[in-house]
Amino acid sequence: MYFFFLLLYFLAEEIWCDYRLNSEKNQSLKAYCGTKPSHQGKFDRRPIAGGREISGKEAPWAVYIQYPSSWCSATMISPRHILSASHCLMKNSAEFSESLKRLRRECDGNDLILYPDNNEFSVKNSYGALLSDRVFKIVFSNYCYPQATFRYDDMMIWELKESIQLDDYAFPACISNNLEFQSLDTEVRVTAYGHNSWDFHNSDGKGTSLLRDGTFRIIGGFKEGRFIAISGDKWADQIRPGDSGGSVIHYVNGQYYTIGSISTASQTDFYSEATSVYAHYSQICHHTGIC
Ligand SMILES: *[C@@H]1O[C@H](CO)[C@@H](O)[C@H](O)[C@H]1NC(C)=O
């Protein structure tokens, strides 16, 4: 009998395909998320473009995602959910690449959902180890909105069919709907995998795919709050290609919160834009169960 129910339970997960966190998992996540590493290290700052190289242990939420044509930075926000930037896969909802075009898709409100049918989408940690290549769905926030491009909204969520094994190199950051976490002049860290050359286009190809850490401050919000603007001027830190989807991190009361996801950057100064987690909190909750 017990076996029968167990079987039903697993079948149900496969058939109805619900990998959102249930309220129990949501509650426990809220308690342990962002608790690694156990205290915020003091960083020795060096004025190199795009920040300082760090070990994955210092930012275990900072995963990167690979897909048929390229890769991007991303943030683990639960053992089954990864946050990144829509433009990594698709700059505009009308411009499907060949590999995305053939995937089953649907609109859920204004959000576009694609269902991968293969293992071409994968999540890796800072030393390149595969964390999962079983992606159930990919959510592009507001890409079913008629005029949407990544300049309108730029948040993407991957939901996995399995839970990532957590350790010192793979551990979720928290998300929050506290607007104060993104208030003006707040000092935040950015962790991402772009290059560290002063040359924006990195023509010598050095220093790519390194996990780096930079310090920035919040200088504003725009587009009805969907984006936040950050600047690394005080620390001479800049955002670079490859940092897209990277984590904007705010450390509060012993927990690391991701408050944004890197979207675009200026080639010439320290200015850059990130998609606001606060502005997308209810969408994230709806799709992931992290509420
Ligand atoms: C998720 O957990 C948090 C913290 O315990 C709680 O405040 C919130 O109501 C929970 N939401 C759901 C939908 O379970």
Side-chain angles (χ1 to χ4, degrees):
M1 201 56 178
Y2 176 70
F3 176 74
F4 175 72
F5 279 120
L6 211 62
L7 195 67
L8 252 186
Y9 173 79
F10 285 120
L11 276 178
E13 269 219 335
E14 280 298 319
I15 293 167
W16 291 305
C17 290
D18 190 0
Y19 301 103
R20 290 173 83 247
L21 304 189
N22 58 26
S23 72
E24 197 183 312
K25 284 213 166 89
N26 159 62
Q27 275 189 19
S28 69
L29 175 71
K30 295 277 163 177
Y32 73 74
C33 65
T35 55
K36 276 188 186 209
S38 58
H39 54 83
Q40 189 171 30
K42 281 273 170 249
F43 296 119
D44 149 37
R45 304 228 51 85
R46 275 178 297 146
I48 56 169
R52 180 189 70 107
E53 196 180 334
I54 56 170
S55 144
K57 249 182 159 169
E58 292 179 61
W61 55 80
V63 294
Y64 72 97
I65 52 175
Q66 267 186 317
Y67 35 90
S69 52
S70 190
W71 61 274
C72 252
S73 301
T75 312
M76 189 196 306
I77 55 170
S78 97
R80 286 207 291 262
H81 296 96
I82 310 295
L83 196 67
S84 187
S86 299
H87 79 261
C88 292
L89 273 181
M90 201 178 351
K91 288 202 163 62
N92 159 351
S93 56
E95 277 178 20
F96 279 95
S97 68
E98 282 307 314
S99 58
L100 297 180
K101 208 180 275 174
R102 56 181 183 75
L103 303 184
R104 182 165 75 85
R105 61 174 186 261
E106 65 182 19
C107 288
D108 179 352
N110 279 333
D111 300 338
L112 173 67
I113 305 182
L114 300 188
Y115 296 91
D117 56 357
N118 54 43
N119 297 72
E120 288 177 345
F121 299 84
S122 58
V123 182
K124 299 194 169 170
N125 71 8
S126 59
Y127 58 89
L130 179 68
L131 297 177
S132 177
D133 59 0
R134 300 186 64 220
V135 179
F136 171 58
K137 68 180 185 192
I138 300 176
V139 180
F140 298 85
S141 155
N142 285 332
Y143 264 32
C144 285
Y145 178 76
Q147 282 83 37
T149 68
F150 77 102
R151 303 296 287 161
Y152 177 78
D153 207 0
D154 198 12
M155 182 166 279
M156 172 168 76
I157 301 165
W158 285 17
E159 183 168 73
L160 309 175
K161 290 182 191 171
E162 63 190 352
S163 293
I164 288 174
Q165 189 69 46
L166 304 185
D167 61 24
D168 287 350
Y169 292 86
F171 204 81
C174 307
I175 62 163
S176 163
N177 62 351
N178 187 342
L179 187 55
E180 281 175 22
F181 289 6
Q182 61 172 59
S183 52
L184 222 54
D185 248 1
T186 302
E187 214 172 288
V188 291
R189 286 169 61 191
V190 172
T191 54
Y193 288 90
H195 66 77
N196 64 356
S197 167
W198 284 112
D199 172 20
F200 190 82
H201 297 291
N202 194 21
S203 21
D204 62 7
K206 284 190 183 143
T208 45
S209 320
L210 305 170
L211 177 56
R212 290 165 306 111
D213 174 282
T215 308
F216 291 77
R217 65 193 173 95
I218 293 177
I219 57 172
F222 57 101
K223 293 190 181 155
E224 291 86 46
R226 285 191 297 281
F227 291 88
I228 48 185
I230 59 174
S231 173
D233 53 358
K234 285 191 189 166
W235 304 270
D237 282 340
Q238 293 178 327
I239 296 297
R240 288 291 179 259
D243 287 338
S244 286
S247 330
V248 182
I249 294 290
H250 185 36
Y251 184 70
V252 197
N253 294 332
Q255 284 178 301
Y256 298 88
Y257 287 85
T258 181
I259 61 164
S261 177
I262 296 296
S263 178
T264 53
S266 159
Q267 299 193 18
T268 50
D269 60 33
F270 298 101
Y271 177 83
S272 129
E273 297 172 4
T275 316
S276 161
V277 165
Y278 170 80
H280 295 82
Y281 196 79
S282 60
Q283 279 160 303
I284 297 173
C285 165
H286 171 73
H287 293 292
T288 66
I290 310 166
C291 300

